Amino acid sequence: MKKLFHVHTFRCGHAEEVPDEEYIKRAIELGAEGIWFTDHAPFPGDPFGNRMLYAELPEYIDTLQALKEKYRQQLEVHIGLETEYFPTFDKAGYYRELRENPGLEFLILGQHMAEDVPGRYTYSWDRERLKAEEYLALGAAILQGMESGYFEVVAHPDRIYRRRKGWDDAMAQMAERIIAAAKKYDLPMELNEASRQRKNQYWEEFWNLAQGRVKMVRGLDAHSLEELKIL
Ligand SMILES: [Zn+2]
Ligand SMILES: [Zn+2]
């Protein structure tokens, strides 16, 4: 099946300013059979940037549901969100709330930052610490997120190493833990097209370890019409 998986919308504030319908029209032009929208999930109280406001979530869902209905004969439109796993929001019941939202079909785990102690996040760390330890915190959060059972796909797991310059044994150990968990929970891991285009975000070493052991899915991480393509 020709799938367009992992597509963002203008609501996140760092994607092309076009209506969602334009992505669907382009998808049809490309001959896709399905498109999976996964914009960045908001959180109650709007504590994080680079995503829609919490109050905008109903409009995101309503708009995509109307388009799903309108284009039903031409392609499948799937409505999901990409989100980090944060223990504090899990305890507060937020992931459960998202999973119980009848308008949302699925969540993907995209761990762009981590909550290292309750209420504190890795973006508050200094550069040296991020370089040395960010991948350990992101990896630990991915492991917790996989175990939580809320997610269908692990987005760009190898992006945790984005601040690393070369592969080493400690990085391989974290990779092994993530791969083992993906196998245990039968969760596909995403080969991310946007990561491939950027320095230090796509790690062959990681995928060589994963090869043949876990399910993989290819994702676009599209933030513009131009980035929609059949892989
Ligand atoms: Zn984004
Ligand atoms: Zn994404």
Side-chain angles (χ1 to χ4, degrees):
M1 179 173 172
K2 293 179 175 175
K3 294 178 173 182
L4 298 169
F5 182 73
H6 194 159
V7 177
H8 290 276
T9 78
F10 67 92
R11 295 171 190 79
C12 70
H14 58 274
E16 189 175 357
E17 287 285 335
V18 290
D20 305 337
E21 190 165 12
E22 296 302 313
Y23 285 98
I24 292 173
K25 288 181 181 165
R26 179 67 62 90
I28 293 167
E29 277 169 29
L30 290 168
E33 294 155 62
I35 182 167
W36 277 254
F37 284 97
T38 55
D39 211 354
H40 299 282
F43 284 83
D46 301 311
F48 313 116
N50 279 322
R51 59 198 68 220
M52 69 181 87
L53 298 174
Y54 184 59
E56 291 173 322
L57 185 58
E59 181 276 328
Y60 170 72
I61 294 169
D62 290 350
T63 301
L64 291 179
Q65 278 186 325
L67 291 167
K68 184 186 180 95
E69 195 50 46
K70 181 172 174 183
Y71 289 93
R72 190 172 286 285
Q73 304 297 326
Q74 282 138 290
L75 88 170
E76 294 177 14
V77 175
H78 295 280
I79 309 167
L81 290 171
E82 173 179 25
T83 176
E84 299 83 356
Y85 178 80
F86 299 133
T88 293
F89 286 95
D90 188 1
K91 286 196 189 84
Y94 187 50
Y95 299 101
R96 184 179 304 278
E97 176 189 320
L98 292 175
R99 287 305 306 264
E100 287 174 356
N101 186 321
L104 288 171
E105 297 165 43
F106 67 102
L107 301 178
I108 68 173
L109 179 60
Q111 198 73 42
H112 306 98
M113 56 203 185
E115 185 180 20
D116 64 333
V117 293
R120 200 180 73 190
Y121 298 86
T122 46
Y123 56 68
S124 68
W125 292 5
D126 64 40
R127 278 180 60 156
E128 286 311 306
R129 186 170 181 200
L130 285 169
K131 258 201 256 179
E133 299 176 28
E134 187 191 44
Y135 78 96
L136 295 169
L138 297 181
I142 287 177
L143 291 168
Q144 287 182 298
M146 285 196 280
E147 192 182 357
S148 74
Y150 296 121
F151 302 95
E152 303 285 332
V153 169
V154 184
H156 48 64
D158 50 337
R159 203 183 283 181
I160 65 171
Y161 306 116
R162 62 189 170 171
R163 296 184 206 268
R164 306 296 290 178
K165 297 282 179 266
W167 192 252
D168 64 27
D169 287 347
M171 290 161 68
Q173 272 175 33
M174 179 52 83
E176 284 292 349
R177 293 176 66 192
I178 292 170
I179 292 161
K183 196 172 155 63
K184 179 176 174 187
Y185 300 113
D186 198 26
L187 279 174
M189 292 201 289
E190 181 205 39
L191 294 146
N192 186 280
E193 195 59 22
S195 289
R196 272 187 212 267
Q197 315 297 331
R198 301 189 197 127
K199 216 176 152 198
N200 298 332
Q201 294 200 358
Y202 185 88
W203 290 80
E204 290 290 354
E205 293 89 343
F206 180 92
W207 296 108
N208 288 340
L209 290 172
Q211 191 64 43
R213 296 165 63 190
V214 296
K215 288 184 189 160
M216 295 182 196
V217 51
R218 298 191 71 185
L220 295 165
D221 214 348
H223 288 76
S224 67
L225 291 176
E226 199 178 41
E227 287 167 357
L228 271 197
K229 58 188 170 200
I230 306 287
L231 294 170

